Structure formats: structure tokens, C-alpha cells
Amino acid sequence: MAKKYVYLFSEGNASMRNLLGGKGANLAEMTNLGLPVPQGFTVTTEACTKYYEDGKKISDEIVEEIYKNMAILEQINNKKFGDKKNPLLVSVRSGARVSMPGMMDTILNLGLNDDTVIGLAEATNNERFAYDSYRRFIQMFSDVVMGIDKNKFEAILDAVKEENGAKYDTDLTAENLKEVVKRYKELYKQEMGVEFPQDPKVQLLEAVKAVFRSWDNPRAIVYRRLNDIPSDWGTAVNVQTMVFGNMGNDSGTGVAFTRNPATGEKALFGEFLMNAQGEDVVAGIRTPQPISTLKDIMPEVYNQFTEIANKLENHYRDMQDIEFTIERSKLYMLQTRNGKRTAQAALKVAIDLVNEGLIDEKEAVLRVDPKQLDQLLHPMFDAEALKAAKPIAKGLPASPGAAAGKVYFTADDAVEAAKGRGEKVVLVRMETSPEDIEGMVVAQGILTGRGGMTSHAAVVARGMGTCCVAGCSAALIDENEKVMKIGDVIVKEGDYISIDGSTGNVYLGEIKTVPPSLTGNFATLMGWADRYRKLKVKANADIPRDAKVAVNFGAEGIGLCRTEHMFFAEDRIPAMREMIVSKTEEQRRNALNKLLPMQRSDFEGLFEAMGEHPVTIRLLDPPLHEFLPHEDEDIKALANEMGMAFEDLKATVESLKEFNPMLGFRGCRLAVKYPEIAEMQTRAIIEAAINVSNKLGINIEPQIMIPLIGDIKEMKYVKEIIVKTADEVLKEKNANLKYQVGTMIEVPRAALTADEIAKEAEFFSFGTNDLTQLTFAFSRDDAGKFLESYYDKKIYDFDPFAKLDQNGVGKLVEMGTKLGRQTRPDLSVGICGEHGGDPSSIEFCHKAGLDYVSCSPYRVPIARLAAAQAAIKDEK
């Protein structure tokens, strides 16, 4: 039986999301529920995949299926596609498995041409509406399908409005719109060299291909990488009978959420425009009205919509984001999906749904995206500083949080400032469009002059957890001149502003921020998460301040303390440099004796902050050259400071230089050549543990981790140094203290010989940063130079330093864990690379049977929630 590539809405259901995409599956489900859905069909995600496999061509069999289903659509609507008297018009929309708002393309009013527009005008007795629809179609088709800059069409529309004294699009007459259509077609011919296509079948196939192509547009690729969406999923295409919100004042269109997406409050939240099409609402071209005012304009429609909204929320057991159109006072449902929401709203909605009996605790834990918690874990404006600040303008509080940064008016400039110069950026646009995604990603906050609470800027910002103030009408934004005027205030590119996404206030200058407080719903959900997770969550922390933050966020220990970070402090670096340039062991030991009390004090601070929670301390890891200057001027200054000849110090610096220092003299190799370094660090750790144990009356069991082990003999040699030193200290202090010696598995050979290494190592911690570097054979610092090309060519979907490569590096982790536990069944195993805070990597760690993950302090709550979700999914 031949594969089916096209399904009528009546043939699908919500469980077919992978095949029909989210939009298609939900349209099918709403059809099954008997809701007023304009009928249509879905071209599947598999058709999209085949399109790319066939060299970006739609196969004849798929074309045949599309035409066959168009014929069924004609029968359902009693209209004919391309008919001069009673034309059927359709919308063509994308629909991936997961919601990607604004990332892919849509074409409305497809099927219009010079003949059918006359038929539409006669059939509806509304010439103005017919030509308004035609001009919209020409612009969308030209922009989305043919790639003609939409601003060229906007310029024509603005010119016609100005010529006729029209303030809004709705003020244009039928004759005015005919002139717009004429000029649009002239522009199309000028740009493309041919007339605007008049055959609706050609229009349809070109539109379907354009939606398939949009799966791989730059903004969609960026969005996929940010949201862990594989490139081989593809998008479905939904072809749906057009219903028209622009037929006059008894028609309209809108977007609504069943709960407030910013706060989670249980109340209908949304906006609509009368005499408009859907794109007008989300594009922010006209300022829409709140959904509540529809009750006064069309009470029956409002009541019907409220009833449907409640039905959909109860059916999907989640907050819904609904698109609707009213055509001549009749309500139509165009889409429903689980609504994008802020972290604050996600927590409230999840907990409220449990209290309402719609879902249980486990389902609530699954409902909150761990990455979203990041929104709650970053600073807000200081209350006192905020009192002293006076707003210069107010817009809509579209996405909560606080942001202060330098103003930039284009996405490219924002990216350059943030990535190139490390500046904090606020992106200021008249209105954002999907092309701005990269600028939005790097921005601390987003400010727009136009648009509502469901505009592109608002929806995308909320999804990313970025502070956003939208529709700030007092701001006159000139993107070409790179200036914003608010009354008498002039803000130029590079000037600081602060914006409050919770109130909509805009301030001149930079306002001080403070850390957030985490209580209420956050504490409730994290309590549920901790109840179900199996993995422990530790933090990577090198100083007591970070350790305290980690404990406050629920960390169960320190999984990685990098001791080298302590040596870069201003009061320590001289002793460190003295140790490095020493010619004899005696000189080295003298320098290390200066470092010993400093190290001991560091570890005491960590042990005190963590109490009886385990602390894993890694011995010195980086190449020694990192502690020395490299420019002659700096070497001369240091030589004078140290009472050395410049030539001697220069020779030392040169001797430490390596072609590839990441593969050179570092990690355990330092302890092999200079055992006295490991001795000093071990003494500092054990003395600190004894001191704090006595001071606080608790049992501290430090874990000493040897870095970069690749061979059992290395492990044995360095471990003997540690054990000998530790036992000496315990004897000197007459103390009874347990300690463990383990290793970081970051060299592939260590993973391959883990059964041998486990004879000496009492715990493993996979250092997935270096393990990824050494497995892929590329540098984390330099990979950015070529990875973009790999993403573009679909060689890689993701940055392997951000998301664990489960097929390669992951196999080494699984192998190392299995081999290690064959030798030592009670072996404790975790990871401490950046992947320890990445939800998909955490899920892998759960499945691989690890005991813990360790991540940066601010990612601890994210890891706790991701670990719980992994356990719940595994149980299911």
C-alpha cells in the first residue's frame, strides 16, 4: 500500500502530532470535538522530509494527493478553486511537531487572481474586502514564496495612504486598493521579470514548497538550536479554507490565551481587531483591543468563544493559545496549542491545574520547561533604586523581568555589541519580526514601539525568558538614524536604558539590579521535583559565595571545585609565579608554603558553606603558562617585581609554551613531575576538613579528584602521594577523618580502561567539556569559527559543548560507568561539565545510571527539575 502524505482534518487526531505537526493534529482534534473549524488538509512532516531528500522537489505522488484533497475541500465548501464566480480561497501555514511561533511562514488568501478577485467581490457583495484580500495575498506570496522585500510593498501602501489622506489601512476605499494591487503587480514584474502568477494551482504548490523551505530559514535554524529541535523532523503544511476577518465591522480576528501567559492568572487573556486578518494582530501594525471588550461588541460570539476556550483547556488539561476569526458575526476556530508562558506563569498554571484536579503532581512537574526557570534565577531591579528612578515612558508589560543595557536598533548591531564587545544590550525596534531572532537572543531586554501582548516580540520574548516591553507608543523610533525620541528625551545608539517587563516602565540610564527571591509556587514545584528525581544535583563552585548560592538553590554538594581559579587572585599570583619559575624543589616548596595557608582558608570557607554535603576538590589542572605573562613589557615588569633577570624569566616563559597546551603539560602530569604541588594541595584540603569538622562538630569527608588521568599507573602514582600526605596530616593532628580519592574521566582512554582505573579510583566524575574536546578533536575555544557552517550544512544540529553528544561522547560515559562498576560495584559516578545543567543531557545521565550531575549554581534548580522529569518519563 502506497504511503499516505496528505490527511484531511477529519482523518487525524491529537496523537498524530509527529506526522501532522502540532497545528495539524490540533485542527484535527478540534474537528473531532465538533468545534467550528474551517476545513482543510495537512501535508505531513514526512512529505517535508521527502521534499529535501528529493533535492527540494515535491514528488508527483504528493502533488496528486494535494490536488485530490483540494477537490474534496471544494465539495465541502461548495466552491471551486480558481472559479471566476465562486472561488475557494485557502491559507497555507506551517506546523512543526512543537510550536515555533513566528519562525516559519504563512500565506493567506491563496487562490486570488485578476479574475477570482472580481468573483469574490460579486459573491460577497463587498468589492473593498476583495481587493484588500488580493493586495495582502500579493504581498505575502511575493515576500514568503519569492523573497521580495516586504518593505517595498509597505512603502507602496504607505504612499497610497498618504495620497488619499488615509491614516489606517481600513480607511482605504476599494478604488484605492485597486491602485495598491496595480502597483504591487508592477513591483512584482520589476523584481521577478514575469507577471504575478495567475494559476491558483501554481500558487498552491509554490506556497507549499515555500513552507517546506522555511523549515531551513536562518531564524528557524537558530530557534531549533535554542530549543533542542532536531533538523530532521521537518514541518507539516496546513491548507485550510479561508475565513475572513476583514469583511467589514461585523468581522474580525484575534488571539487569546485561556490564562494570562505572563502571570498564570485564571482569566481569559487576549486581543482582537475588527475588520482585520490574523497577521494584523501579531504583527502589531494596529493596536488591538482586549478580548474582554468583545463582550460588548458581540456578546453571543464572546459567550460562544468563552465556552469553547474552557472546553479546549479541559480537553487538553493545559493553558491554550487560541487563534480565531469572526466572519459576518460567525465564529471560527483556526488553531489551538499549549500556550507559551513565562516561568512565573508556568509554575502557577501547573500548580493551579493540580489544585483544580485536572492533572497530578508528576504531570505538573513535566509541564514546566526546566530551561524556563532561568527567568526566575536572575536579578530584578533593586527596590530602592527603582523608587528613585522616574519612568520616561510606559508600554505593555509583555514579558516580565528587568533589563538594563545599551540601546541598539538592529539585530545585527545587537549581536555585534553583545558577542563582539561583551556589552549588555537592549534591542529597540519599532516592531520585531522573525528575522530579528538572533538579536533577541543576545539582548537583555526588548523594547518595541508598536504591537500588543501577543505581538511577535511578546510571544518570542516570553518563550526565551527575556524581559520585554511592547507597544510603547510614546517612543518615536528611527531605526535608520539609530535614535529614539520620547518627548524631550533623545536616546542614541549606545546609550543606557532600563526596562521593566513586569510593569511596562522604561527608564533612562542603568538601574541597579538585585538577585531574585524564590518562594511560593517555585518552592512547591521544586518540592515535587525532589520527591520524584533519582539523580542528585551538585554544583560547580570555587568560592564560598558561589557555594552559598548553590545551597540556597538546593545543591546537595559541590561536584567540582577548580583549585586553579583560586591562584589567580591578586594576593596569590606572585607566590604561584614564584613556584613556577623555581629552579629547585626547595625553592618550589618555599613558594608552595606561602600558598598553603591561602588554599587551606579557601577550603575551610567551602566546607563551612556546604556543611556535611560532599565537596569534590580537583587538584591543579591548567598548563602552568596560563599563570605567566607573555608580552615582553609584562615579563619585564614581573622580572623586576621578582628580582629576576628579564632573560631568565623570558626563557622560563618560552620553555613553558606548547603547540597545543590543552594536550600538554597539565592535569595529573603536573603532579607526576612536581609531586610537591599535589602534596601542598592535599595538606590544605585535609587540614581544612579537620579544622571545620572540629569547629562545627560535623563529619566532613572530602573527595580529592585527580584530573586528566589516562592510565592506571598515573592514577596509582598520584594517589599514593595524596594518601601518604593525607595520612601524615591525620597523624600530626591526631584526627580520625575519612576521605576519598577519585578521578575525572576526561581522556577517552580513561573511559576505555575504566575497569582498571576503578581499582584505584573511589569515584568517577566525567569532565564532559574536555571529554567532548578530545573525542571530537576540536577546541571548545575555537570551534565557534566553523560550527556555524556545520549547522548550516546539517552536519551537526547542536553545539556539542552545550548539549551532550549522546552517540559518541555519551557512549564513552556509558562504557566508563559500566566498566568502572564491574570492578567497584559501589563506584559513585557523576558529570561535572557544562552539560550538567542541560536538560537533555541530564535525561541521558539518568538513563545511563549516573548518581549525580554537577552544574553552575544558577542552574541547580534547572537540573533538579530536569532530573525529576527524566525519572517520571522513565517510569512512564
Side-chain angles (χ1 to χ4, degrees):
M1 185 176 166
K3 180 176 274 200
K4 187 173 168 72
Y5 286 103
V6 183
Y7 289 78
L8 290 166
F9 294 166
S10 56
E11 295 177 302
N13 59 60
S15 70
M16 297 169 70
R17 172 179 292 271
N18 289 359
L19 186 65
L20 302 179
K23 189 173 291 181
N26 288 335
L27 283 165
E29 191 73 3
M30 286 198 292
T31 298
N32 295 337
L33 290 170
L35 301 183
V37 175
Q39 285 304 290
F41 57 83
T42 301
V43 186
T44 64
T45 55
E46 289 180 350
C48 178
T49 306
K50 184 169 170 56
Y51 165 80
Y52 282 102
E53 286 170 356
D54 292 346
K56 297 189 180 178
K57 290 178 184 170
I58 301 182
S59 69
D60 292 343
E61 59 190 305
I62 295 174
V63 171
E64 192 179 324
E65 276 194 71
I66 290 171
Y67 289 158
K68 180 181 160 191
N69 282 275
M70 276 302 295
I72 297 170
L73 214 53
E74 289 175 331
Q75 291 171 359
I76 291 170
N77 290 284
N78 198 26
K79 293 180 179 178
K80 199 154 180 62
F81 195 46
D83 189 69
K84 293 182 182 179
K85 292 191 175 177
N86 191 22
L88 171 67
L89 303 184
V90 294
S91 64
V92 179
R93 296 171 185 255
S94 63
R97 289 189 203 183
V98 293
S99 175
M100 295 172 62
M103 294 305 115
M104 291 179 294
D105 292 325
T106 293
I107 301 103
L108 303 179
N109 309 311
L110 190 141
L112 281 173
N113 58 27
D114 294 348
D115 294 329
T116 57
V117 70
I118 297 167
L120 183 65
E122 289 174 355
T124 58
N125 197 27
N126 190 336
E127 190 177 41
R128 189 206 169 279
F129 148 73
Y131 281 91
D132 181 50
S133 301
Y134 195 19
R135 65 97 183 168
R136 290 169 184 271
F137 171 57
I138 295 170
Q139 179 172 337
M140 283 183 127
F141 186 90
S142 302
D143 169 28
V144 171
V145 180
M146 308 312 294
I148 304 172
D149 185 355
K150 64 185 173 191
N151 291 322
K152 294 181 178 180
F153 293 94
E154 291 294 338
I156 291 171
L157 185 65
D158 289 343
V160 174
K161 279 158 70 174
E162 195 174 321
E163 288 164 19
N164 293 281
K167 185 177 179 183
Y168 298 111
D169 303 356
T170 47
D171 297 332
L172 293 171
T173 65
E175 291 307 312
N176 299 155
L177 289 164
K178 284 179 185 177
E179 178 60 25
V180 172
V181 166
K182 175 173 166 286
R183 295 189 198 179
Y184 275 12
K185 285 164 62 187
E186 286 169 357
L187 172 62
Y188 184 94
K189 186 173 183 183
Q190 180 186 321
E191 292 282 331
M192 302 306 299
V194 293
E195 299 288 348
F196 185 79
Q198 296 291 302
D199 184 344
K201 285 188 172 180
V202 170
Q203 295 173 358
L204 178 61
L205 289 184
E206 289 302 320
V208 170
K209 282 191 272 187
V211 173
F212 283 161
R213 283 199 306 273
S214 73
W215 174 250
D216 260 354
N217 69 35
R219 62 182 187 265
I221 291 169
V222 169
Y223 190 91
R224 285 205 301 271
R225 210 156 66 237
L226 284 172
N227 293 279
D228 290 347
I229 301 169
S231 62
D232 59 3
W233 277 6
T235 179
V237 181
N238 297 289
V239 178
Q240 188 174 23
T241 305
M242 277 299 302
V243 285
F244 301 97
N246 59 330
M247 288 187 81
N249 292 327
D250 60 352
S251 302
T253 189
V255 176
F257 296 82
T258 54
R259 301 182 190 226
N260 187 312
T263 66
E265 181 193 357
K266 188 177 182 181
L268 204 57
F269 175 94
E271 298 166 323
F272 73 100
L273 279 170
M274 299 308 290
N275 198 16
Q277 287 200 331
E279 295 303 297
D280 298 346
V281 178
V282 293
I285 293 161
R286 282 161 57 195
T287 301
Q289 296 173 266
I291 190 77
S292 55
T293 60
L294 185 61
K295 190 192 300 183
D296 303 323
I297 299 169
M298 292 182 170
E300 285 183 20
V301 168
Y302 178 81
N303 291 336
Q304 184 191 2
F305 180 76
T306 305
E307 191 181 310
I308 289 172
N310 288 332
K311 184 174 185 176
L312 286 171
E313 181 171 280
N314 288 328
H315 180 74
Y316 284 100
R317 299 181 304 122
D318 202 355
M319 176 187 114
Q320 293 300 290
D321 169 2
I322 301 165
E323 289 181 18
F324 65 94
T325 285
I326 304 161
E327 179 183 289
R328 290 175 168 173
S329 302
K330 182 171 167 51
L331 177 66
Y332 292 95
M333 307 304 291
L334 302 184
Q335 174 173 302
T336 193
R337 60 187 174 194
N338 293 339
K340 295 277 182 191
R341 64 207 81 175
T342 63
Q344 180 188 347
L347 292 171
K348 179 168 171 53
V349 169
I351 289 162
D352 284 353
L353 289 173
V354 171
N355 294 335
E356 291 164 26
L358 283 173
I359 60 176
D360 61 18
E361 287 178 5
K362 290 182 180 178
E363 189 62 37
V365 167
L366 292 174
R367 288 288 173 86
V368 180
D369 179 355
K371 287 184 177 178
Q372 267 197 305
L373 293 182
D374 208 28
Q375 298 173 30
L376 302 173
L377 309 178
H378 292 287
M380 303 296 286
F381 286 138
D382 175 74
E384 291 303 311
L386 203 56
K387 276 183 196 171
K390 189 178 177 185
I392 56 171
K394 188 176 178 75
L396 299 171
S399 184
K406 292 184 178 181
V407 168
Y408 287 93
F409 294 93
T410 71
D412 288 345
D413 289 342
V415 170
E416 173 58 30
K419 289 190 174 176
R421 300 191 293 278
E423 295 176 0
K424 289 188 173 180
V425 166
V426 174
L427 180 64
V428 175
R429 306 280 287 147
M430 202 62 212
E431 64 207 22
T432 63
S433 70
E435 285 81 7
D436 293 322
I437 182 69
E438 290 190 73
M440 297 173 82
V441 167
V442 300
Q444 305 291 312
I446 298 158
L447 173 67
T448 68
R450 285 199 293 245
M453 298 290 277
T454 53
S455 63
H456 175 266
V459 171
V460 174
R462 281 197 294 269
M464 294 192 303
T466 301
C467 164
C468 177
V469 173
C472 183
S473 55
L476 302 174
I477 299 165
D478 189 328
E479 292 163 1
N480 293 324
E481 293 297 319
K482 299 186 178 178
V483 68
M484 171 172 68
K485 294 179 183 174
I486 300 174
D488 296 332
V489 177
I490 294 174
V491 181
K492 296 176 184 171
E493 181 180 81
D495 289 348
Y496 270 101
I497 64 167
S498 300
I499 60 173
D500 190 334
S502 303
T503 62
N505 287 335
V506 180
Y507 305 88
L508 191 62
E510 187 178 15
I511 298 176
K512 183 185 169 189
T513 57
V514 293
S517 60
L518 302 171
T519 54
N521 291 332
F522 178 86
T524 301
L525 192 89
M526 295 313 293
W528 293 345
D530 290 341
R531 187 177 299 167
Y532 299 114
R533 68 183 165 89
K534 303 286 192 294
L535 280 170
K536 287 189 177 298
V537 176
K538 301 181 184 182
N540 301 337
D542 311 325
I543 55 175
R545 186 190 67 219
D546 287 349
K548 285 170 188 166
V549 169
V551 170
N552 289 340
F553 283 149
E556 297 163 289
I558 291 177
L560 174 64
C561 165
R562 308 170 185 89
T563 53
E564 60 271 6
H565 286 191
M566 302 165 175
F567 292 128
F568 286 101
E570 201 174 329
D571 60 337
R572 291 135 191 258
I573 194 86
M576 187 65 184
R577 287 169 168 171
E578 185 184 329
M579 188 273 293
I580 293 169
V581 300
S582 296
K583 301 292 186 193
T584 66
E585 182 182 328
E586 185 183 357
Q587 289 175 334
R588 254 191 315 280
R589 287 190 181 278
N590 286 337
L592 287 166
N593 285 337
K594 294 178 186 176
L595 289 168
L596 173 62
M598 300 173 184
Q599 281 266 275
R600 184 172 57 230
S601 171
D602 291 328
F603 299 142
E604 285 172 351
L606 283 178
F607 290 139
E608 284 189 30
M610 298 311 294
E612 290 191 322
H613 288 308
V615 176
T616 304
I617 298 170
R618 182 179 73 186
L619 299 185
L620 188 64
D621 182 42
L624 296 179
H625 76 88
E626 287 191 9
F627 298 95
L628 295 175
H630 296 281
E631 301 296 326
D632 281 359
E633 196 176 314
D634 297 328
I635 294 171
K636 276 177 190 167
L638 181 61
N640 291 333
E641 197 180 303
M642 297 181 72
M644 287 180 71
F646 164 74
E647 291 75 16
D648 288 349
L649 184 54
K650 172 85 171 171
T652 301
V653 170
E654 291 297 324
S655 71
L656 288 171
K657 279 187 180 174
E658 298 176 285
F659 285 114
N660 192 338
M662 291 311 293
L663 299 178
F665 183 40
R666 54 169 286 222
C668 63
R669 297 156 200 169
L670 297 171
V672 170
K673 186 164 183 180
Y674 302 127
E676 52 273 21
I677 297 176
E679 287 174 21
M680 182 278 287
Q681 291 197 289
T682 302
R683 177 169 283 275
I685 292 166
I686 301 299
E687 287 182 356
I690 293 169
N691 292 347
V692 176
S693 291
N694 293 337
K695 180 181 175 182
L696 300 181
I698 58 176
N699 292 316
I700 292 175
E701 188 175 328
Q703 297 179 324
I704 302 171
M705 183 157 68
I706 306 171
L708 215 71
I709 288 291
D711 191 285
I712 177 65
K713 291 177 186 172
E714 279 178 317
M715 180 72 205
K716 193 170 189 302
Y717 179 83
V718 181
K719 183 184 177 184
E720 283 173 358
I721 296 167
I722 293 168
V723 170
K724 181 172 178 287
T725 307
D727 290 350
E728 277 175 12
V729 175
L730 292 172
K731 191 174 179 182
E732 288 167 16
K733 304 284 184 184
N734 194 24
N736 183 18
L737 179 132
K738 290 182 179 176
Y739 61 91
Q740 290 186 331
V741 182
T743 186
M744 194 177 239
I745 305 284
E746 51 199 322
V747 175
R749 191 178 189 279
L752 296 169
T753 61
D755 50 343
E756 293 180 22
I757 290 171
K759 291 173 186 173
E760 296 291 339
E762 294 170 272
F763 64 87
F764 284 173
S765 180
F766 285 92
T768 51
N769 298 344
D770 271 355
L771 190 58
T772 298
Q773 287 197 104
L774 296 173
T775 303
F776 276 92
F778 52 57
S779 160
R780 182 168 46 145
D781 299 320
D782 299 321
K785 295 173 185 173
F786 59 82
L787 278 179
E788 287 297 331
S789 301
Y790 274 59
Y791 304 142
D792 292 344
K793 295 174 172 63
K794 294 188 182 173
I795 296 170
Y796 296 154
D797 280 340
F798 311 107
D799 179 351
F801 292 109
K803 178 181 174 182
L804 188 69
D805 160 47
Q806 297 180 17
N807 290 337
V809 178
K811 280 183 183 165
L812 289 172
V813 172
E814 288 175 319
M815 183 187 301
T817 303
K818 186 179 176 185
L819 288 172
R821 286 183 176 154
Q822 281 174 10
T823 300
R824 192 184 290 265
D826 62 346
L827 185 76
S828 170
V829 183
I831 70 164
C832 59
E834 291 301 312
H835 302 104
D838 169 61
S840 64
S841 305
I842 291 167
E843 186 172 351
F844 168 81
C845 292
H846 170 88
K847 288 177 180 171
L850 271 61
D851 297 298
Y852 70 89
V853 296
S854 188
C855 56
S856 70
Y858 281 94
R859 295 187 73 80
V860 166
I862 295 169
R864 287 164 64 194
L865 181 56
Q869 291 184 350
I872 293 166
K873 287 177 190 171
D874 198 27
E875 188 183 290
K876 285 188 172 184

